[in-house]
Amino acid sequence: MKKIIALLLSLVLLLSVAAFAEGEPDPALVCCLSNIVIETTTNGETTAVNLEGLETYLSVDTSDGLALVAQAFNGDDSLLLAVAKVVGSQMHFGIEGLDKTYVTDIPNLQGLDTAGMGDSLRPMLPALLSLELPMIDVGSLPKLDLVPIVSMVGAQTEGDITTFSVPSQLIDSLLDQILEAVKGMDISVPGMEQAVAMLEQVRASGMSIALSGQVVNTADAQTTTLDIYPVTGGQTAEAALLTLTLTSAQDDLTLAVDMNTGEQAMNVANLQIQTEAATKSLVGTLDIAGMMKFNLALFQEEGLQKAALTMESSMDSSFALTLAYGVDGGRNMLDLSFAAGEDAAFEVVTHSAAGSDGAIQGDMEVSAASNGTSFRLTANFEKFLGSLDLGGYELPAETAPIEEISSEENSEALQTALAPAIEYFTQVMANAAA
């Protein structure tokens, strides 16, 4: 039974991916999955499950506030109706058949007026329906000139070389001004309070830094070297702790970070970014101490926008994330894939086009593989604007914390509410086994 419930929840999650991948007006944006077929292969043996008659819906409803509605039908028979609605700074969740609404707080909505959230979102639904990912026109990376910036701290220039230094007293004064400005502002940025507290601790400890460096300018490139010296008790260290070397040329930027270990400099990180305007491409590489390497590529090929992010590690762990989208064969295409090591892979592919009525129709394929077992789901989907018919269902007035939904006291009621869906999947699995 737990596997059946997990399968049901997985379908709802897959529906949410489809709804937002493509992503007075009608109050609801609806996405429907149908003709769902699931194949599982283990040890070379494939089992196919055809979810015949099943139609699942995920809708963003703005008719009364803002709500996310999940529905499932077997023909005309309702299998599931679940509603998650924003009420004040809380999320209210209910399933048809349960006599309670389960509530959880949404910290990011504290102090905000959410009463008109649905009305504000409704005019945006047509744009969300036809939302398409943009093509990325990578331009040419220019050669940087940092001389005007370092000149602001009293730099001196002789020929092509500009030298500069920043004493710890000036840096401390700037940090104090920043702290005072930040503490006087009402900023609700995650982690901001912790960052401010950490900075205050550093200032209270008496530790600081001093900077010195030079900028060497040539016709083709400019190289800036920045040495960072620790300052303790007003005493500046004789040797730099860190050295940053930035080299900038047309279409090429590199940054090296070296640490002084006392006897020799140890490279901590290297960053390189290269661009090519003619092919609208960008290639970036970040090497961390030779132990971990990240590669990013953005480019256009055969009318499609493509992106690839890979990570290589000396500890035998690696991953690759690739994305391709655009118009393929007259239809919008999206291909998102992820691979971890040699054994785990996941991919989502969708093709879609707008019909004469404005609805978006398409098909999707989701596949995954791990340790010799593979999974494949195919389905048709449709996205459109409309109004929802909940059959008179409303969230119950009695509320309880969301944690209680799986309690022993409520487990029987939950199974009763999910009984139509469980019965459907039980029958499907039995037919597949036969």
Side-chain angles (χ1 to χ4, degrees):
M1 183 174 295
K2 290 183 178 179
K3 293 183 178 180
I4 296 174
I5 295 175
L7 178 60
L8 176 63
L9 294 177
S10 297
L11 287 174
V12 173
L13 290 175
L14 288 172
L15 180 55
S16 68
V17 171
F20 293 100
E22 298 291 302
E24 273 284 347
D26 291 313
L29 173 61
V30 184
C31 182
C32 170
L33 276 186
S34 59
N35 299 322
I36 303 170
V37 178
I38 298 176
E39 295 180 355
T40 304
T41 302
T42 304
N43 298 325
E45 295 185 5
T46 300
T47 301
V49 178
N50 188 342
L51 303 183
E52 188 176 358
L54 179 67
E55 290 187 346
T56 61
Y57 294 80
L58 186 70
S59 309
V60 178
D61 187 22
T62 66
S63 61
D64 180 21
L66 179 61
L68 190 66
V69 180
Q71 297 169 284
F73 297 91
N74 178 21
D76 294 330
D77 297 331
S78 176
L79 302 179
L80 173 72
L81 170 57
V83 177
K85 184 177 181 181
V86 176
V87 179
S89 60
Q90 295 181 322
M91 180 68 75
H92 286 210
F93 175 74
I95 299 177
E96 187 177 29
L98 296 180
D99 58 2
K100 294 180 183 178
T101 296
Y102 295 90
V103 178
T104 184
D105 292 328
I106 309 176
N108 290 341
L109 297 183
Q110 291 289 341
L112 299 181
D113 182 8
T114 60
M117 189 178 291
D119 294 335
S120 300
L121 181 63
R122 191 175 306 127
M124 305 178 191
L125 295 183
L128 291 175
L129 173 66
S130 57
L131 180 65
E132 297 178 6
L133 294 175
M135 304 297 282
I136 302 175
D137 292 330
V138 177
S140 178
L141 191 66
K143 172 189 172 185
L144 299 178
D145 184 9
L146 299 183
V147 173
I149 296 177
V150 301
S151 296
M152 298 172 62
V153 293
Q156 296 181 346
T157 300
E158 292 185 7
D160 293 330
I161 301 177
T162 299
T163 58
F164 63 94
S165 62
V166 183
S168 61
Q169 294 87 345
L170 178 56
I171 294 176
D172 293 343
S173 177
L174 290 173
L175 288 177
D176 290 338
Q177 293 179 38
I178 293 173
L179 278 172
E180 288 300 321
V182 171
K183 288 190 292 186
M185 299 171 63
D186 184 16
I187 303 177
S188 58
V189 177
M192 177 62 74
E193 292 184 3
Q194 293 84 345
V196 171
M198 184 180 300
L199 190 55
E200 288 179 327
Q201 290 179 1
V202 172
R203 293 293 298 117
S205 69
M207 298 179 61
S208 185
I209 59 171
L211 309 175
S212 70
Q214 66 175 14
V215 181
V216 179
N217 200 36
T218 66
D220 296 329
Q222 184 181 94
T223 300
T224 302
T225 303
L226 176 65
D227 292 319
I228 303 175
Y229 297 84
V231 178
T232 305
Q235 295 294 320
T236 302
E238 294 183 359
L241 177 64
L242 290 174
T243 298
L244 279 63
T245 305
L246 177 68
T247 302
S248 175
Q250 186 72 29
D251 292 318
D252 196 341
L253 178 80
T254 61
L255 173 64
V257 181
D258 296 303
M259 177 178 289
N260 186 357
T261 61
E263 297 180 355
Q264 61 181 2
M266 181 182 70
N267 181 256
V268 177
N270 275 302
L271 172 68
Q272 182 174 31
I273 301 175
Q274 296 177 312
T275 59
E276 188 175 274
T279 58
K280 300 179 181 179
S281 63
L282 178 149
V283 176
T285 301
L286 174 61
D287 189 321
I288 303 177
M291 299 178 63
M292 192 172 294
K293 187 176 182 181
F294 294 88
N295 300 293
L296 172 66
L298 296 175
F299 57 98
Q300 294 182 18
E301 186 176 61
E302 297 180 351
L304 298 177
Q305 178 66 57
K306 296 186 176 182
L309 174 64
T310 63
M311 187 275 286
E312 305 169 14
S313 172
S314 60
M315 297 175 288
D316 296 329
S317 61
S318 63
F319 74 79
L321 179 67
T322 61
L323 172 67
Y325 60 86
V327 178
D328 180 30
R331 297 200 300 169
N332 290 323
M333 184 275 290
L334 182 144
D335 186 341
L336 175 65
S337 65
F338 175 80
E342 298 180 356
D343 298 325
F346 176 81
E347 184 174 20
V348 178
V349 182
T350 68
H351 292 85
S352 64
S356 58
D357 58 354
I360 308 294
Q361 296 178 331
D363 53 72
M364 67 183 298
E365 178 178 339
V366 180
S367 58
S370 178
N371 298 322
T373 300
S374 63
F375 166 90
R376 179 173 177 265
L377 179 147
T378 59
N380 298 125
F381 68 87
E382 182 178 13
K383 298 188 299 177
F384 55 92
L385 300 177
S387 300
L388 298 184
D389 180 7
L390 303 185
Y393 173 75
E394 295 181 357
L395 289 171
E398 183 179 355
T399 61
I402 190 70
E403 294 79 10
E404 293 185 10
I405 193 171
S406 58
S407 66
E408 183 176 350
E409 177 185 354
N410 295 319
S411 61
E412 184 176 348
L414 181 61
Q415 291 191 28
T416 300
L418 297 178
I422 295 173
E423 182 179 350
Y424 170 81
F425 283 105
T426 300
Q427 186 61 51
V428 166
M429 300 300 287
N431 293 341

